[in-house]
Amino acid sequence: MPADMVGRNAGVIREGFSGETMGTSWSLLAVSPSAGTTNGVRAAFDRVVAQMSQWDTQSDLSRFNRAAPGLWHHIPDEFAYVVESALGIARASGGAFDAGLGRLTEAWGFGSVGPIEAVPEQLGASDRTIDFDPATRCIRRGEGAALDLSGIAKGYGVDLAAEWLLGAGVQHFLLEVGGELRGEGMRPDGQPWWVDVEMPPTSSIPPWRMALHDLSVATSGHYRRGFIADGRHYSHSFDPVTGRPI
């Protein structure tokens, strides 16, 4: 969360904006923002939702997940960039990150359909392959695969909006969407963008304060998103090996 929200120094205006997107909140601190700043930022977020939301049944991702497996589908540039990045992270992590877990995350209730009473065991062992052809920007999925980009799309939304801000001439800002933050330039007082990191309720570690000066940070807390069934807490983070929430 931003350490402070509004302020002025030597006549330079720092303005704050906020709203909701991707099932969470967003906030922006910008130094001397241009006209239409809010519209440009929201348009970037809306583009990510329209292309990559697992919760919007009419998004490009949702339509791909409903289509028959094994067939190639052409996707927009932004969607293709995130898919290619996700598959690269999957390879680099030895499969610890898996963008093909969508059927499992949906079955456990982290999607548009809500939880089902019992998750079929065969879902965890089925073919979750996602193939991407960079030359044609086409993707296809295995029989048991469905795209879930929730672990990466929100951060991409921050970057997409940040690039729009820089292109509009806004050089100094702190942008945050649900725990994903990017700081560019500095505050009017010459300080970097200071950010306080919320610690888990059970943590004994003092809160962190970090300086985002042309830097980004991504956070996630399993205590914030999940559900309780039969007295047990299930988080929104999944183990691709077991196919179950961590």
Side-chain angles (χ1 to χ4, degrees):
M1 63 186 70
D4 59 356
M5 288 302 296
V6 293
R8 296 171 182 264
N9 186 66
V12 178
I13 300 175
R14 184 173 71 225
E15 294 189 45
F17 308 88
S18 62
E20 295 183 355
T21 187
M22 306 181 211
T24 186
S25 61
W26 66 269
S27 64
L28 169 67
L29 293 173
V31 178
S32 301
S34 58
T37 291
T38 302
N39 292 337
V41 169
R42 285 175 175 164
F45 296 154
D46 289 346
R47 197 182 318 166
V48 174
V49 171
Q51 294 184 21
M52 296 169 246
S53 173
Q54 191 179 357
W55 299 85
D56 183 348
T57 59
Q58 298 306 309
S59 71
D60 293 317
L61 180 145
S62 293
R63 291 199 301 271
F64 168 74
N65 285 344
R66 290 195 300 269
L71 301 178
W72 288 101
H73 299 266
H74 184 268
I75 56 176
D77 290 350
E78 296 86 357
F79 191 2
Y81 177 84
V82 174
V83 168
E84 186 172 23
S85 299
L87 296 179
I89 295 169
R91 290 190 296 271
S93 65
F97 182 83
D98 186 349
L101 282 175
R103 290 185 67 190
L104 284 164
T105 56
E106 284 275 2
W108 279 93
F110 299 100
S112 59
V113 299
I116 62 177
E117 292 185 1
V119 179
E121 290 296 330
Q122 63 267 26
L123 280 183
S126 56
D127 179 12
R128 300 199 301 262
T129 302
I130 299 291
D131 293 317
F132 173 69
D133 181 355
T136 61
R137 297 201 314 277
C138 288
I139 56 175
R140 66 180 176 183
R141 64 184 182 88
E143 184 70 33
L147 268 176
D148 181 348
L149 298 175
S150 299
I152 189 173
K154 188 168 60 175
Y156 175 74
V158 172
D159 283 339
L160 191 65
E163 294 305 319
W164 182 89
L165 287 166
L166 291 170
V170 183
Q171 301 296 313
H172 306 276
F173 61 84
L174 175 65
L175 179 62
E176 180 262 347
V177 180
E180 318 291 288
L181 300 99
R182 176 165 165 175
E184 291 286 340
M186 61 187 66
R187 306 188 317 186
D189 61 4
Q191 290 287 317
W193 297 104
W194 293 104
V195 173
D196 293 336
V197 180
E198 179 182 286
M199 306 306 289
T202 58
S203 174
S204 60
I205 302 174
W208 295 346
R209 173 167 285 194
M210 59 182 64
L212 296 187
H213 173 62
D214 298 341
L215 293 171
S216 300
V217 63
T219 65
S220 182
H222 73 275
Y223 61 93
R224 276 196 167 272
R225 287 198 60 198
F227 66 91
I228 297 176
D230 297 326
R232 182 175 179 180
H233 178 267
Y234 294 92
S235 79
H236 70 300
S237 297
F238 278 70
D239 181 350
V241 176
T242 65
R244 297 174 64 86
I246 296 171

